[in-house]
């Protein structure tokens, strides 16, 4: 197996090879470092590369495995982290130069868990500054580039996580998702991306954007890898005040491929907002495929969907401004203008408006939950468009010109507001060869159902087997 | 007819000053224009009948973080 083939494997494929000692973690890490060096000038996925540390960790893993101390499916698997996960002794910039001197004194909870599972950290990944934007553009550290067409956006904010994983620079990546920041770049780069239920995965040791809507989740190349990562990072954490102490299942066991009788609802409101015709057709075909696999498809109505943007926006802007108030006062002019404007806008929302939005959120949550009286999952597009050119501020969709922030988050943000689990899985490609994603969402703490359906769909197609033409 | 923007320039300047927003080098104009575009859309929250619903509240842990 050559280096490229090694980097194109999934963790689910490579893990057993490492366990059987057919491949050494040192070979794996060396192959990935070579790939990073070859592709980084075109993709700009990384902010900090940890070559020496990764090689040292790989040698340690090799020694452990040779002495029969195999830790599990992620032992020796190369990992990348969005550069807002705290890493002990390694700078954590959140994608802005004004924070490049910040070196955390501890690992965030999920980082600690992944290291304990034997995953090898290759580096810290580029992101939309402060995770506040859905395109993956960044003037401080350079824009991220989509491996399927390097002139196009990766999506964001976890853009480096998506480009690195899609291109084989790393095998697994973690991102954060406040309005879609895992699912958007995952969909635009042809990956699987999961936003778990709010409270399922610890946020401790992660730079916040908006506390009540922030989630951590994996960006990976298969649903199986998604389950493998969730098996490690999902746990109750007393250090995160919103963490929920519910039993954590073995997510891999949910991947049966069996979805007969699963009730899948398609909200009619999803077609009342701008969507590209080619994307819509592709997603409808994916939903037909779910039906062919035995799911029972029905149309559902979710009228409050249209209020998710103003409710979530009010909350996000207020919380983001509150968290970054000091940074803005001390370094405002040094923050990239589009991000600075969005942050400062939060100062102009009144406390009463924030509380009203949180009351409206209670209503939104209740109505969202009621939808699941009729169905087990919701299905629809992850995004209304494919990746567009870097530097675009408005996109024409169905004869309407729409701002990119609202457009990219229109299907993802509602699930940050209600906190329900939602996954994106590749469901096709445009005529231009750009990936399209299917989003599946479930009721709280039903990641198993979400993963089961995503897996059944994935295994009935070959979209996830394609690799970018790099 | 386009609705008049409720945030008067004087109020904008006062809030900006109180919040420590640096308005030098045309940034004030840029921010005011941005707010005109964004804030009106958020007002739709007020259309919802919320009755006696309480806001979403975080469940607080009383434990100290353990590193």
């Amino acid at each position: 197996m050559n280096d490229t083939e090694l980097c194109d494997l999934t963790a689910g494929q490579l893990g057993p090879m490492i366990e059987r000692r057919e491949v050494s973690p040192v070979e794996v890490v060396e192959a990935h470092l070579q790939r990073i060096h070859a592709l980084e000038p075109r993709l700009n996925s990384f902010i900090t590369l940890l070559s020496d540390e990764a090689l040292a960790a790989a040698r340690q893993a090799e020694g452990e495995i040779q002495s029969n101390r195999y830790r599990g499916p992620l032992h020796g698997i190369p990992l990348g982290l969005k550069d807002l996960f705290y890493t002990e002794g390694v700078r954590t910039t959140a994608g802005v130069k004004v924070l490049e001197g910040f070196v955390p004194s501890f690992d965030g909870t999920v980082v600690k868990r992944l290291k304990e599972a034997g995953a090898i950290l290759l580096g810290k990944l580029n992101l939309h500054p402060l995770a506040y934007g859905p395109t993956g553009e960044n003037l401080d550290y350079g824009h991220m580039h989509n491996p399927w067409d390097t002139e196009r956006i990766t999506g964001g904010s976890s853009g480096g996580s998506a480009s690195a994983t899609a291109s084989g620079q790393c095998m697994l990546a973690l991102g954060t998702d406040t309005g879609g920041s895992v699912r958007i770049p995952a969909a635009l780069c042809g990956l699987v991306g999961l936003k778990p239920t709010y409270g399922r995965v610890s946020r401790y040791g992660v730079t916040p954007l908006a506390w009540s809507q922030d989630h951590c989740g994996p960006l990976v190349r298969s649903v199986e890898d998604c389950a493998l990562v969730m098996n490690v990072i999902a746990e109750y954490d007393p250090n995160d005040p919103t963490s929920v102490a519910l039993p954590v299942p073995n997510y891999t066991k949910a991947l049966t491929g069996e979805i007969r009788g699963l009730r899948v609802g398609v909200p009619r409101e999803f077609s009342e907002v701008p969507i590209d015709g080619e994307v819509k057709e592709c997603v409808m075909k994916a939903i037909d495929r779910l039906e062919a696999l035995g799911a029972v498809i029905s149309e559902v109505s979710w009228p409050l969907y249209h209020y998710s943007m103003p409710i979530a926006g009010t909350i996000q802007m207020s919380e983001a401004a509150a968290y970054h108030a000091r940074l803005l006062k001390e370094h405002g002019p040094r923050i990239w203008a589009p991000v600075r404007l969005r942050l400062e806008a939060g100062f102009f929302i009144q406390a009463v408006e924030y509380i009203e939005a949180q009351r409206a959120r209670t209503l939104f949550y209740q109505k969202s939950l009621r939808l699941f009286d009729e169905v087990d999952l919701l299905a629809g597009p992850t995004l209304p468009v494919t990746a567009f050119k870097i530097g675009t501020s408005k996109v024409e969709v169905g004869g309407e010109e729409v701002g990119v922030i609202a457009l990219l988050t229109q299907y993802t943000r509602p699930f940050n507001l209600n906190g329900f689990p939602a996954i994106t899985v590749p469901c096709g490609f445009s005529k231009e060869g750009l990936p399209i994603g299917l989003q599946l969402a479930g009721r709280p703490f039903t990641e198993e159902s979400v993963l089961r359906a995503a897996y059944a769909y994935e295994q009935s197609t070959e979209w996830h087997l394609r690799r970018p033409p790099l | 007819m386009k609705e008049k923007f409720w945030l008067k320039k004087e109020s904008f300047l006062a809030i900006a000053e109180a919040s420590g927003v640096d308005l030098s080098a045309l940034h004030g104009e840029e921010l005011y224009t941005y707010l005109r575009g964004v804030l009106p859309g958020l007002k739709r929250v007020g259309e919802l009948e919320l009755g006696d619903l309480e806001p979403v509240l975080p469940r607080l842990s009383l434990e100290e973080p353990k590193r």
Side-chain angles (χ1 to χ4, degrees), chain A residues 144-355:
Chain A
M144 290 138 267
H145 298 265
N146 193 312
W148 295 92
D149 178 345
T150 54
E151 290 184 3
R152 294 176 189 265
I153 62 162
T154 53
S157 62
S158 312
S161 302
S163 60
T165 308
S167 65
Q169 291 180 314
C170 63
M171 203 160 275
L172 313 168
L174 281 194
T176 54
D177 191 317
T178 308
S181 288
V182 163
R183 291 160 289 157
I184 293 165
L188 292 178
C189 293
L191 296 171
V192 174
L194 174 70
K195 181 202 78 64
T197 309
Y198 189 72
R200 176 88 288 182
V201 173
S202 173
R203 300 174 297 108
Y204 182 67
V206 183
T207 306
L209 173 58
W211 300 279
S212 75
Q213 295 182 52
D214 290 343
H215 302 67
C216 306
L219 294 94
V220 285
R221 294 200 290 265
S222 72
V223 177
E224 182 191 15
D225 283 7
C226 195
L228 290 172
V229 175
M230 282 296 288
N231 285 341
V232 171
I233 65 172
E235 64 156 355
Y236 170 65
D237 179 10
N239 287 338
D240 175 351
T242 59
S243 182
V244 176
L246 283 175
V248 179
N250 182 326
Y251 293 105
T252 310
K253 285 189 177 160
L255 310 182
T256 60
E258 175 56 63
I259 58 165
R260 271 177 294 183
L262 188 78
R263 299 170 304 162
V264 177
V266 182
R268 72 172 64 103
E269 289 76 11
F270 284 180
S271 56
E272 294 170 358
V273 287
I275 180 166
D276 173 77
E278 196 179 12
V279 172
K280 188 175 181 180
E281 192 185 326
C282 191
V283 171
M284 292 318 291
K285 276 186 188 164
I287 292 169
D288 288 346
R289 175 62 64 96
L290 289 173
E291 189 168 33
L293 291 168
V296 180
I297 311 293
S298 62
E299 187 180 79
V300 294
S301 179
W302 192 12
L304 272 192
Y305 164 78
H306 291 301
Y307 287 88
S308 58
M309 282 288 184
I311 302 170
T314 302
I315 295 166
Q316 177 173 313
M317 288 165 69
S318 306
E319 293 184 7
Y323 179 73
H324 288 299
R326 190 171 160 191
L327 188 79
L328 286 165
K329 279 178 196 163
E330 292 176 0
H331 303 289
R334 291 178 61 198
I335 296 169
W336 188 34
V339 173
R340 181 186 177 194
L341 287 172
R342 292 186 78 195
L343 283 171
E344 289 174 344
F347 291 132
F348 298 85
I349 294 171
Q350 296 174 35
V352 171
E353 291 171 317
Y354 174 76
I355 298 293

Side-chain angles (χ1 to χ4, degrees), chain B residues 11-57:
Chain B
S11 308
F12 163 76
L13 292 170
I15 296 170
E17 190 184 356
S19 307
V21 177
D22 180 347
L23 295 179
S24 58
L26 297 176
H27 181 62
E29 277 309 309
E30 206 180 11
L31 180 58
Y32 191 65
T33 304
Y34 180 77
L35 292 173
R36 286 180 78 103
V38 168
L39 294 185
L42 303 182
K43 287 285 183 192
R44 288 194 65 210
V45 176
E47 295 170 8
L48 295 168
E49 178 48 60
L50 299 177
D52 57 1
L53 286 174
E54 291 197 8
V56 170
L57 294 169

Side-chain angles (χ1 to χ4, degrees), chain A residues 377-437:
Chain A
L377 292 180
L378 296 179
T382 308
L383 291 159
V385 290
T386 53
F388 42 79
K389 294 273 170 75
I390 291 169
T392 304
S393 60
K394 289 191 171 179
V395 179
E396 196 182 307
V397 189
E400 199 179 326
E401 207 174 54
V402 194
V404 297
I405 294 174
L407 188 70
L408 290 177
T409 56
Q410 70 184 23
Y411 294 126
T412 51
R413 195 183 289 282
F415 301 105
N416 295 84
L417 189 60
N418 62 23
F420 292 11
I423 197 168
T424 181
V425 61
C427 72
F429 286 79
S430 69
K431 289 187 189 81
E432 292 177 293
L434 299 168
I436 296 169

